[in-house]
mmCIF file of all heavy atoms in Angstrom:
data_model
loop_
_atom_site.group_PDB
_atom_site.id
_atom_site.type_symbol
_atom_site.label_atom_id
_atom_site.label_comp_id
_atom_site.label_asym_id
_atom_site.label_seq_id
_atom_site.Cartn_x
_atom_site.Cartn_y
_atom_site.Cartn_z
ATOM 1 N N GLY A 125 20.045 7.401 0.502
ATOM 2 C CA GLY A 125 19.383 8.721 0.111
ATOM 3 C C GLY A 125 17.940 8.708 0.667
ATOM 4 O O GLY A 125 17.357 7.742 0.951
ATOM 5 N N GLY A 126 17.475 9.919 0.685
ATOM 6 C CA GLY A 126 16.089 10.168 1.220
ATOM 7 C C GLY A 126 15.863 9.776 2.621
ATOM 8 O O GLY A 126 15.355 8.640 2.941
ATOM 9 N N GLY A 127 16.436 10.513 3.506
ATOM 10 C CA GLY A 127 16.300 10.235 4.999
ATOM 11 C C GLY A 127 14.829 10.025 5.397
ATOM 12 O O GLY A 127 14.537 9.216 6.137
ATOM 13 N N ALA A 128 13.912 10.764 4.743
ATOM 14 C CA ALA A 128 12.481 10.614 5.019
ATOM 15 C C ALA A 128 11.810 9.833 3.966
ATOM 16 O O ALA A 128 11.212 8.785 4.311
ATOM 17 C CB ALA A 128 11.828 11.965 5.134
ATOM 18 N N VAL A 129 11.915 10.233 2.682
ATOM 19 C CA VAL A 129 11.136 9.670 1.584
ATOM 20 C C VAL A 129 11.988 9.348 0.447
ATOM 21 O O VAL A 129 12.827 10.192 -0.038
ATOM 22 C CB VAL A 129 9.971 10.488 1.170
ATOM 23 C CG1 VAL A 129 9.162 9.883 -0.029
ATOM 24 C CG2 VAL A 129 8.971 10.759 2.369
ATOM 25 N N GLY A 130 11.962 8.205 -0.166
ATOM 26 C CA GLY A 130 12.580 7.921 -1.460
ATOM 27 C C GLY A 130 11.517 7.724 -2.445
ATOM 28 O O GLY A 130 10.601 7.033 -2.255
ATOM 29 N N ILE A 131 11.733 8.331 -3.664
ATOM 30 C CA ILE A 131 10.701 8.248 -4.755
ATOM 31 C C ILE A 131 11.487 7.781 -5.882
ATOM 32 O O ILE A 131 12.312 8.346 -6.504
ATOM 33 C CB ILE A 131 10.112 9.731 -5.043
ATOM 34 C CG1 ILE A 131 9.627 10.371 -3.850
ATOM 35 C CG2 ILE A 131 9.079 9.506 -6.112
ATOM 36 C CD1 ILE A 131 9.391 11.837 -4.030
ATOM 37 N N ASN A 132 11.084 6.528 -6.393
ATOM 38 C CA ASN A 132 11.620 5.950 -7.573
ATOM 39 C C ASN A 132 10.808 6.313 -8.792
ATOM 40 O O ASN A 132 9.765 6.981 -8.626
ATOM 41 C CB ASN A 132 11.833 4.450 -7.474
ATOM 42 C CG ASN A 132 12.968 4.137 -6.481
ATOM 43 O OD1 ASN A 132 13.908 4.864 -6.376
ATOM 44 N ND2 ASN A 132 12.885 2.970 -5.960
ATOM 45 N N ARG A 133 11.163 5.942 -9.950
ATOM 46 C CA ARG A 133 10.688 6.383 -11.177
ATOM 47 C C ARG A 133 9.148 6.171 -11.304
ATOM 48 O O ARG A 133 8.413 7.028 -11.978
ATOM 49 C CB ARG A 133 11.342 5.757 -12.461
ATOM 50 C CG ARG A 133 12.685 6.388 -12.614
ATOM 51 C CD ARG A 133 13.441 5.873 -13.818
ATOM 52 N NE ARG A 133 14.714 6.524 -13.975
ATOM 53 C CZ ARG A 133 15.817 6.118 -13.330
ATOM 54 N NH1 ARG A 133 15.812 5.066 -12.591
ATOM 55 N NH2 ARG A 133 16.983 6.730 -13.510
ATOM 56 N N GLY A 134 8.517 5.223 -10.699
ATOM 57 C CA GLY A 134 7.156 4.973 -10.755
ATOM 58 C C GLY A 134 6.406 5.565 -9.711
ATOM 59 O O GLY A 134 5.168 5.356 -9.461
ATOM 60 N N GLY A 135 7.112 6.298 -8.823
ATOM 61 C CA GLY A 135 6.527 6.841 -7.579
ATOM 62 C C GLY A 135 6.065 8.333 -7.712
ATOM 63 O O GLY A 135 6.656 9.129 -8.341
ATOM 64 N N ILE A 136 5.039 8.587 -6.934
ATOM 65 C CA ILE A 136 4.552 10.031 -6.819
ATOM 66 C C ILE A 136 4.349 10.333 -5.400
ATOM 67 O O ILE A 136 3.610 9.585 -4.613
ATOM 68 C CB ILE A 136 3.134 10.117 -7.568
ATOM 69 C CG1 ILE A 136 3.200 9.751 -9.068
ATOM 70 C CG2 ILE A 136 2.562 11.586 -7.416
ATOM 71 C CD1 ILE A 136 1.938 9.653 -9.821
ATOM 72 N N PHE A 137 4.852 11.515 -4.934
ATOM 73 C CA PHE A 137 4.698 11.871 -3.571
ATOM 74 C C PHE A 137 4.013 13.304 -3.615
ATOM 75 O O PHE A 137 4.532 14.309 -4.193
ATOM 76 C CB PHE A 137 5.976 11.991 -2.865
ATOM 77 C CG PHE A 137 5.972 12.635 -1.476
ATOM 78 C CD1 PHE A 137 4.953 12.601 -0.675
ATOM 79 C CD2 PHE A 137 7.165 13.281 -0.989
ATOM 80 C CE1 PHE A 137 4.942 13.101 0.567
ATOM 81 C CE2 PHE A 137 7.134 13.807 0.297
ATOM 82 C CZ PHE A 137 6.033 13.751 1.098
ATOM 83 N N THR A 138 2.862 13.405 -3.034
ATOM 84 C CA THR A 138 2.101 14.705 -2.984
ATOM 85 C C THR A 138 2.186 15.097 -1.579
ATOM 86 O O THR A 138 1.503 14.459 -0.741
ATOM 87 C CB THR A 138 0.686 14.498 -3.633
ATOM 88 O OG1 THR A 138 0.767 14.076 -4.946
ATOM 89 C CG2 THR A 138 0.029 15.860 -3.624
ATOM 90 N N MET A 139 2.687 16.341 -1.325
ATOM 91 C CA MET A 139 2.707 16.900 0.059
ATOM 92 C C MET A 139 1.687 17.957 0.105
ATOM 93 O O MET A 139 1.973 19.202 -0.476
ATOM 94 C CB MET A 139 4.152 17.333 0.417
ATOM 95 C CG MET A 139 4.272 17.688 1.876
ATOM 96 S SD MET A 139 5.950 17.969 2.343
ATOM 97 C CE MET A 139 5.742 18.472 3.948
ATOM 98 N N ASN A 140 0.556 17.797 0.819
ATOM 99 C CA ASN A 140 -0.452 18.806 0.919
ATOM 100 C C ASN A 140 -0.402 19.483 2.352
ATOM 101 O O ASN A 140 -1.269 20.237 2.593
ATOM 102 C CB ASN A 140 -1.909 18.181 0.761
ATOM 103 C CG ASN A 140 -2.065 17.676 -0.607
ATOM 104 O OD1 ASN A 140 -1.681 18.147 -1.642
ATOM 105 N ND2 ASN A 140 -2.753 16.469 -0.671
ATOM 106 N N GLY A 141 0.647 19.203 3.123
ATOM 107 C CA GLY A 141 0.777 19.737 4.373
ATOM 108 C C GLY A 141 1.635 18.832 5.293
ATOM 109 O O GLY A 141 2.179 17.880 4.692
ATOM 110 N N GLY A 142 1.741 19.103 6.497
ATOM 111 C CA GLY A 142 2.567 18.276 7.381
ATOM 112 C C GLY A 142 3.870 18.755 7.427
ATOM 113 O O GLY A 142 4.301 19.852 6.886
ATOM 114 N N GLU A 143 4.810 18.034 8.140
ATOM 115 C CA GLU A 143 6.204 18.427 8.435
ATOM 116 C C GLU A 143 7.188 17.260 8.212
ATOM 117 O O GLU A 143 6.850 16.147 8.527
ATOM 118 C CB GLU A 143 6.273 18.870 9.893
ATOM 119 C CG GLU A 143 5.587 20.104 10.247
ATOM 120 C CD GLU A 143 5.806 20.404 11.679
ATOM 121 O OE1 GLU A 143 6.721 21.156 12.094
ATOM 122 O OE2 GLU A 143 4.891 19.946 12.523
ATOM 123 N N ILE A 144 8.243 17.581 7.523
ATOM 124 C CA ILE A 144 9.351 16.623 7.357
ATOM 125 C C ILE A 144 10.514 17.316 8.051
ATOM 126 O O ILE A 144 11.084 18.317 7.483
ATOM 127 C CB ILE A 144 9.600 16.328 5.906
ATOM 128 C CG1 ILE A 144 8.325 15.685 5.243
ATOM 129 C CG2 ILE A 144 10.798 15.404 5.844
ATOM 130 C CD1 ILE A 144 8.410 15.374 3.815
ATOM 131 N N TYR A 145 11.153 16.782 9.128
ATOM 132 C CA TYR A 145 12.314 17.458 9.658
ATOM 133 C C TYR A 145 13.079 16.456 10.438
ATOM 134 O O TYR A 145 12.696 15.328 10.847
ATOM 135 C CB TYR A 145 11.882 18.567 10.640
ATOM 136 C CG TYR A 145 11.109 18.137 11.851
ATOM 137 C CD1 TYR A 145 11.691 17.779 13.071
ATOM 138 C CD2 TYR A 145 9.617 18.072 11.889
ATOM 139 C CE1 TYR A 145 10.969 17.369 14.202
ATOM 140 C CE2 TYR A 145 8.882 17.685 12.967
ATOM 141 C CZ TYR A 145 9.621 17.313 14.109
ATOM 142 O OH TYR A 145 8.844 16.893 15.259
ATOM 143 N N GLY A 146 14.471 16.802 10.642
ATOM 144 C CA GLY A 146 15.274 16.020 11.482
ATOM 145 C C GLY A 146 15.766 14.712 10.844
ATOM 146 O O GLY A 146 16.174 13.741 11.516
ATOM 147 N N ASN A 147 15.634 14.640 9.560
ATOM 148 C CA ASN A 147 16.064 13.370 8.767
ATOM 149 C C ASN A 147 17.448 13.538 8.160
ATOM 150 O O ASN A 147 17.836 14.602 7.934
ATOM 151 C CB ASN A 147 15.084 13.169 7.718
ATOM 152 C CG ASN A 147 13.640 13.000 8.242
ATOM 153 O OD1 ASN A 147 13.275 11.881 8.882
ATOM 154 N ND2 ASN A 147 12.792 13.914 8.109
ATOM 155 N N TYR A 148 18.058 12.358 8.042
ATOM 156 C CA TYR A 148 19.519 12.464 7.507
ATOM 157 C C TYR A 148 19.680 11.321 6.522
ATOM 158 O O TYR A 148 19.147 10.213 6.628
ATOM 159 C CB TYR A 148 20.437 12.124 8.660
ATOM 160 C CG TYR A 148 21.931 11.967 8.258
ATOM 161 C CD1 TYR A 148 22.643 13.006 7.841
ATOM 162 C CD2 TYR A 148 22.382 10.581 8.157
ATOM 163 C CE1 TYR A 148 24.000 12.633 7.494
ATOM 164 C CE2 TYR A 148 23.625 10.418 7.872
ATOM 165 C CZ TYR A 148 24.495 11.366 7.440
ATOM 166 O OH TYR A 148 25.745 11.112 7.025
ATOM 167 N N ALA A 149 20.565 11.589 5.409
ATOM 168 C CA ALA A 149 20.986 10.670 4.478
ATOM 169 C C ALA A 149 22.362 10.763 4.290
ATOM 170 O O ALA A 149 22.918 11.857 4.109
ATOM 171 C CB ALA A 149 20.207 10.960 3.124
#
Side-chain angles (χ1 to χ4, degrees):
V129 179
I131 311 163
N132 285 336
R133 285 184 180 85
I136 300 170
F137 175 27
T138 302
M139 189 170 176
N140 297 320
E143 297 177 86
I144 298 175
Y145 66 90
N147 301 286
Y148 168 77

